[in-house]
């Protein structure tokens, strides 16, 4: 089954403790992206990657890192999480043609205390 | 730059009512337009799409027509069901320059 898999689904952590949210897709997609969803703000893009070893900042990259060492994986790294990063995070992927839709994971709800 | 505006809601309807959720966009060129739906506790799913002017996307009784002259892509359904309760996002993709999403519209359908 074609899918985007994120882990974990829920994560509670404390300020400053490094964490990684994993994302994997099995559709051989070139494009992958991370979004955060906050009430009243909709979806905001954090980082995206057009292909292996190619990553770029989205609209709200501060406090986040990503890597794209393999085509299927695109982990999101919070080196020193802060409470304002409490949010619902989504990973997504799509094929290379311009009208290819995004496929989303089921989300990771992160709480930073 | 590219942007998407949609009615934020929430929208509350009775079962079998007619639904319209307005969406307008700003973009150069000819973007592809999408509607995504997010059910409680889940990620976004593609509902329908249109890739050029006057195209009509349709799925599960929902329709939207790409209107370049009014830069709009309004979502409609003739008779909503309780199971349609969700958050709906309008989005555009401008030649792979990255998706831009509207703020989402929460729909609640009452039995």
């Amino acid at each position: 089954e074609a899918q985007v898999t994120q882990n974990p689904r829920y994560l509670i952590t404390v300020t400053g403790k490094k964490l990684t949210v994993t994302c994997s897709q099995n559709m051989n997609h070139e494009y992958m992206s991370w979004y955060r969803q906050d009430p009243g703000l909709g979806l905001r893009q954090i980082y995206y990657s057009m292909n292996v070893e190619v990553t770029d900042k989205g609209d709200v990259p501060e406090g986040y890192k990503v890597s794209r060492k393999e085509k299927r994986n695109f982990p999101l790294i919070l080196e020193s999480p802060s409470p304002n990063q409490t949010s619902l995070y989504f990973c997504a992927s799509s094929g290379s043609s311009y009208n290819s839709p995004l496929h989303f994971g089921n989300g990771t709800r992160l709480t930073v205390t | 730059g590219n942007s998407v505006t949609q009615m934020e809601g929430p929208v509350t309807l009775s079962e079998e009512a007619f639904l319209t959720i307005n969406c307008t966009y700003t973009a150069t060129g000819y973007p592809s337009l999408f509607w995504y739906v997010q059910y409680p506790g889940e990620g976004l799913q593609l509902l329908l799409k249109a890739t050029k002017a006057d195209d009509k996307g349709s799925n599960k009784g929902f329709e939207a027509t790409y209107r370049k002259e009014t830069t709009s892509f309004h979502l409609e359904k003739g008779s909503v069901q309780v199971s349609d309760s969700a958050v709906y996002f309008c989005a555009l993709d401008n030649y792979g320059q990255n998706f831009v999403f509207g703020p989402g519209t929460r729909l609640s359908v009452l039995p």
Side-chain angles (χ1 to χ4, degrees):
Chain A
E1 179 189 352
Q3 60 186 1
V4 178
T5 303
Q6 289 178 236
N7 280 296
R9 287 295 306 274
Y10 301 92
L11 181 57
I12 301 173
T13 190
V14 296
T15 299
K17 185 175 182 182
K18 180 180 178 180
L19 66 91
T20 299
V21 183
T22 63
C23 174
S24 179
Q25 50 93 6
N26 62 0
M27 294 167 280
N28 201 36
H29 283 165
E30 289 79 12
Y31 180 90
M32 297 187 74
S33 182
W34 276 102
Y35 295 86
R36 60 179 289 174
Q37 184 179 19
D38 301 290
L41 297 176
L43 282 167
R44 294 180 293 170
Q45 190 179 50
I46 302 170
Y47 268 95
Y48 65 96
S49 170
M50 301 294 279
N51 215 322
V52 176
E53 301 292 1
V54 180
T55 62
D56 273 301
K57 296 177 180 179
D59 300 318
V60 288
E62 293 77 20
Y64 304 94
K65 286 175 55 178
V66 293
S67 68
R68 189 87 183 275
K69 293 184 171 60
E70 307 164 283
K71 198 172 190 179
R72 64 183 291 122
N73 296 323
F74 191 46
L76 179 70
I77 303 156
L78 284 72
E79 296 267 1
S80 183
S82 62
N84 64 11
Q85 293 178 297
T86 293
S87 186
L88 179 59
Y89 291 86
F90 288 101
C91 180
S93 71
S94 73
S96 56
S97 62
Y98 83 93
N99 59 5
S100 293
L102 279 172
H103 298 258
F104 282 84
N106 281 332
T108 296
R109 185 166 293 282
L110 171 65
T111 302
V112 183
T113 60
Chain B
N2 302 323
S3 66
V4 174
T5 303
Q6 63 179 106
M7 54 193 289
E8 293 199 30
V11 175
T12 302
L13 296 173
S14 298
E15 206 164 24
E16 299 183 3
F18 185 86
L19 168 71
T20 300
I21 301 177
N22 291 336
C23 170
T24 56
Y25 68 90
T26 301
T28 55
Y30 300 89
S32 293
L33 301 175
F34 304 82
W35 277 101
Y36 282 83
V37 59
Q38 183 181 29
Y39 298 104
E42 299 183 12
L44 281 70
Q45 304 173 23
L46 177 67
L47 181 59
L48 54 84
K49 72 176 186 180
T51 59
K52 61 183 187 296
D54 300 324
D55 263 3
K56 177 186 284 188
S58 62
N59 186 24
K60 299 180 182 179
F62 291 89
E63 294 183 339
T65 301
Y66 191 140
R67 301 283 188 203
K68 185 155 180 66
E69 64 276 13
T70 55
T71 61
S72 65
F73 193 54
H74 304 322
L75 182 68
E76 296 182 336
K77 186 174 186 182
S79 177
V80 293
Q81 306 299 312
V82 172
S83 58
D84 293 326
S85 297
V87 181
Y88 293 83
F89 291 89
C90 186
L92 70 81
D93 178 27
N94 204 353
Y95 292 97
Q97 293 174 15
N98 292 321
F99 277 74
V100 175
F101 288 85
T105 301
R106 182 175 298 278
L107 170 66
S108 296
V109 180
L110 305 177

